[in-house]
Amino acid sequence: MFMSNNNNEIRFRYYTIVQVSDTNPFFPGGTKYPGPEFHYSRVVSLDTSRASLVFSMERGSGIRDRKDGLLSGNVMGTYTHVLAPAVRGWARGVVAAARGERPPEKG
């Protein structure tokens, strides 16, 4: 996976709506949340045998093909920023991941 920063420009896309579509240590599956999408870089190559995209974008462009949330092990990168008060359960998921536990169920 290689990242490239072109022209040192920051591109604010728009407010997104993200749906958690795959298993990950931080968010229960099916969780939806809004957030601003910023692009400081772009992905020029993606090795999906070592990482997966775990968010589907209802609104927004994400990393590639309307997918975001690049996950490799317990590390996740996303162009959609998490605004903690808007994402119910996010803090519990982060704490659970730090403890090596599964994410809490949705709700």
Side-chain angles (χ1 to χ4, degrees), residues 1-2 43-49 51-53 63-64 70:
M1 174 176 42
F2 298 95
V43 176
V44 295
S45 177
L46 181 61
D47 181 355
T48 56
S49 70
S52 59
L53 295 166
I63 292 172
R64 176 177 294 157
L70 182 65

Side-chain angles (χ1 to χ4, degrees), residues 17-102:
I17 298 175
V18 170
Q19 179 163 3
V20 179
S21 55
D22 290 317
T23 303
N24 69 86
F26 308 107
F27 299 93
T31 300
K32 287 185 184 182
Y33 73 89
E37 181 176 9
F38 291 92
H39 286 251
Y40 296 88
S41 62
R42 66 185 175 92
V43 176
V44 295
S45 177
L46 181 61
D47 181 355
T48 56
S49 70
R50 297 181 57 187
S52 59
L53 295 166
V54 299
F55 296 162
S56 295
M57 307 297 291
E58 286 191 13
R59 187 167 79 196
S61 60
I63 292 172
R64 176 177 294 157
D65 300 327
R66 295 184 56 123
K67 295 286 227 169
D68 205 0
L70 182 65
L71 178 70
S72 180
N74 280 342
V75 178
M76 181 184 291
T78 176
Y79 284 125
T80 301
H81 292 208
V82 174
L83 303 173
V87 186
R88 188 171 184 202
W90 173 77
R92 285 188 306 245
V94 170
V95 170
R99 292 180 175 160
E101 302 168 356
R102 298 174 57 84

